[in-house]
Amino acid sequence: MRPKTRPRRRGLRIVVRSLVAVLLVAAGLTGTVLWQHSYDLDEQRVTIRHGGHTLDAVLAVPRDGRERHGLVVYVHGDGPVDATHDDGYKPIWEAGAEAGYASLSWDKPGVAGAPGNWLDQSMGDRADEAAAAIAWARARPDIDGDRIGLWGASQAGWVLPKVAARTPVGFVVAVSPAINWLRQGRYNLLAELRADGASAARVEAETARSDAVRALLARRAGFEEYVAAMGGDAHGMTADRWGFVSRNHTADATRDLAALRGVPVLLVLAGQDTNVDTDETERGYRQALDAGGALTVEHYPDAAHSLVKRSVERSEPLFTLTALFAPRSLFADGFLYGQRQFLDRLDRPGRIDRPDRAGRPG
């Protein structure tokens, strides 16, 4: 009987060693994920009162021991966005923290349990909201009221200059903004059709449907009329969304941009943007702001609209793995460094860069 026990023991040892190896790998991967998702800042939940309701916000503060910090106030793009944008803002917050700036962002109304409904808002409503957040921040002893600015992406391009018209801001970072709502929508439609390799017949049909929707918006048609005009197919539109589009489809930043003259503005544009006509955006910003000499334009040729690397955005598995194991690497090369550098130049134009956490100058 004794000879038979040795193979069993040997087999047991192999199983145990395999399990230990698996556990070690799992522990290592878990440690990597935890380290990659730890950011050099402290987050605290805060409440901001505005217009009879509250904004549920996150204030992310640098761990640099200073008693006061500048502040970047975040203005979301389209959609039901929470305060951290599903943690997608955190690498950008960290870049700001490295330059000595705190970040403030809030759940859109109706998102993550916040009161209200963001689809009930106009661009002016959103600007009032951001102005209230700035007033709240200026009352805090740990925020330098003279160093408060705005960061906004995509749809926020119609909000940022409205905020600046309501309250003084120290700077603005505009990421992938559009100039005109309707032209942006048509550009996006045609760009996506090209990317899909759509036939001429499909392009003609989709353009005709878009024209019909524009006509409905122009005469302020209700949702029921929209559905009827679409032959009973709402094409994913809801009554709330139709109300939002009806309320905001005339948005155009051309005149509003005048409020940013003399304000340091960083315009960030993506080379693979199928949502926004970046040539039109850059032209509009330069016409409105170049005379003041305070405009900086940065281009990221390999970036999609979100400033995520286009190659990463196109692959859901790659996006998921990168978000899990290397979230800072989601963004186009140099984007996070550019965010930090812009803030550094506001306060310390002669500062010598040191390597950041990813080993890049910063």
Side-chain angles (χ1 to χ4, degrees), residues 229-292:
M230 296 296 108
D233 182 357
H235 298 278
M237 184 70 71
T238 65
D240 280 354
R241 181 70 189 183
W242 180 256
F244 180 78
V245 175
S246 299
R247 196 174 299 111
N248 293 293
H249 75 280
T250 59
D252 189 306
T254 303
R255 292 184 179 179
D256 290 341
L257 285 173
L260 300 181
R261 287 174 185 159
V263 176
V265 174
L266 174 62
L267 175 63
V268 181
L269 300 174
Q272 305 297 316
D273 197 332
T274 58
N275 291 67
V276 168
D277 183 346
T278 56
D279 290 338
E280 181 189 41
T281 292
E282 182 171 2
R283 187 165 57 250
Y285 271 70
R286 289 197 183 281
Q287 288 174 352
L289 305 178
D290 257 352

Side-chain angles (χ1 to χ4, degrees), residues 128-208:
D128 289 340
E129 194 175 71
I134 291 173
W136 172 88
R138 284 202 170 107
R140 290 179 63 95
D142 55 345
I143 299 298
D144 184 346
D146 295 326
R147 296 167 59 228
I148 297 178
L150 300 167
W151 187 103
S154 193
Q155 189 183 96
W158 293 301
V159 182
L160 300 174
K162 291 182 182 296
V163 180
R166 286 160 168 75
T167 186
V169 296
F171 57 89
V172 169
V173 179
V175 180
S176 302
I179 296 295
N180 178 279
W181 182 295
L182 291 176
R183 288 199 300 272
Q184 181 249 342
R186 179 56 57 88
Y187 177 88
N188 176 230
L189 171 65
L190 296 178
E192 289 186 347
L193 289 171
R194 282 195 301 270
D196 289 345
S199 65
R202 183 185 168 198
V203 171
E204 183 178 357
E206 292 288 348
T207 302

